[in-house]
Amino acid sequence: MPFSPRALPVALLLPLLAGCSSLYFPPPPQVPLLTQKGEWSAGLHTNLSQNTAVQGAYAVSDHLGVMGSASFLHTNKTKKAEDHDFGELGLGYFTRLPDHRVLEVYGGFGLGHTKRVERTPTEGVTRTLEAGLNKYFVQVNYTSKDKKTYHVLGRDWPVSYGTALRASYVTLTDFRLNGQPAANEDNIFLEPITYTRITLLGPVDAQFISGSNFGLKHRKFLKAANSVFQFGLVVNVGGQSGGK
């Protein structure tokens, strides 16, 4: 769906509405939109929950791409402190479609560590949760054939947009509750998102990602309780013109 300025205030509220009760903070689905051999893409994203991701991708041939990302979240608030570090690697196929569209299909895995310390002003620390994270995912990225230019503040702003769908199988490993071994959990997450890119200068685009996160299993600690909304910057260099 195309980007609508009126939808942005609603998107900004998503991290607040989603809550933070899950031990899993999904990194933004990576959409490098590769078009030819030798092209590379890089991105830096964050959100209001301070979940920050650094991403990169490279086209090793005209249809084979590799991508990787590192995400992290470290907060220390009155009621809880959270530490979440996660990395992903993926390999996939990309192709240029008619009307300047791009289709990408990736698969990969991820590893990480997560910890949450809950507390109250009167009791101090009430609960500590800590675990490793394993993840396997498949993802499809698809750009819209439409591209619009808006004339604002005396200049043209090219805008492109598209969609992505990621399915992930995530497991907690070596889960500990208050320092004691606890039952590990697993879940299957579906993350449909839309993204909008606004060209700022040369190959540098601002990117806004909004979407949903659905957990297919009912779990207490590993559930779809954190937003996939992100905003940041992306750079693509060495690709075919008109494809972003």
Side-chain angles (χ1 to χ4, degrees):
M1 58 181 290
F3 174 72
S4 171
R6 286 182 291 182
L8 188 56
V10 177
L12 291 172
L13 293 175
L14 289 178
L16 304 177
L17 298 175
C20 296
S21 58
S22 177
L23 288 174
Y24 174 59
F25 292 83
Q30 194 170 347
V31 284
L33 304 185
L34 301 175
T35 58
Q36 65 182 10
K37 180 180 178 180
E39 182 177 6
W40 63 270
S41 171
L44 175 65
H45 292 82
T46 191
N47 62 17
L48 298 183
S49 298
Q50 301 180 42
N51 186 16
T52 301
V54 180
Q55 302 176 327
Y58 180 74
V60 298
S61 74
D62 283 332
H63 293 288
L64 181 66
V66 295
M67 66 181 187
S69 70
S71 61
F72 49 91
L73 182 151
H74 297 283
T75 63
N76 190 2
K77 300 179 181 179
T78 302
K79 294 184 178 181
K80 61 184 174 182
E82 291 174 309
D83 293 285
H84 186 88
D85 297 285
F86 197 78
E88 291 183 353
L89 287 174
L91 178 69
Y93 171 84
F94 65 87
T95 186
R96 191 72 173 269
L97 299 176
D99 301 323
H100 305 302
R101 292 174 291 174
V102 177
L103 175 68
E104 298 178 305
V105 181
Y106 291 94
F109 67 94
L111 298 171
H113 180 267
T114 185
K115 181 179 181 180
R116 184 169 77 231
V117 177
E118 301 173 353
R119 58 201 176 202
T120 66
T122 56
E123 301 177 74
V125 175
T126 58
R127 188 168 68 166
T128 300
L129 306 95
E130 187 171 9
L133 290 166
N134 287 347
K135 175 179 179 178
Y136 297 93
F137 69 89
V138 292
Q139 180 179 326
V140 178
N141 304 330
Y142 177 75
T143 65
S144 169
K145 67 179 179 180
D146 295 325
K147 186 172 183 179
K148 296 183 178 180
T149 298
Y150 296 92
H151 190 78
V152 181
L153 300 176
R155 60 159 289 185
D156 291 334
W157 301 88
V159 177
S160 57
Y161 52 90
T163 61
L165 174 63
R166 169 176 284 201
S168 304
Y169 175 68
V170 182
T171 59
L172 293 178
T173 62
D174 193 24
F175 181 33
R176 292 185 174 271
L177 181 59
N178 295 326
Q180 300 300 313
N184 292 323
E185 293 186 349
D186 68 341
N187 211 333
I188 299 172
F189 297 102
L190 295 180
E191 300 170 32
I193 64 108
T194 62
Y195 56 89
T196 300
R197 290 185 175 182
I198 304 173
T199 300
L200 300 179
L201 179 65
V204 181
D205 293 347
Q207 179 166 275
F208 303 90
I209 297 175
S210 62
S212 301
N213 187 15
F214 301 97
L216 301 187
K217 297 183 178 182
H218 178 71
R219 294 292 185 257
K220 184 176 181 180
F221 302 107
L222 193 63
K223 52 188 175 180
N226 295 304
S227 171
V228 296
F229 171 77
Q230 295 270 335
F231 53 90
L233 298 175
V234 294
V235 179
N236 275 67
V237 176
Q240 299 174 15
S241 62
K244 311 298 187 291

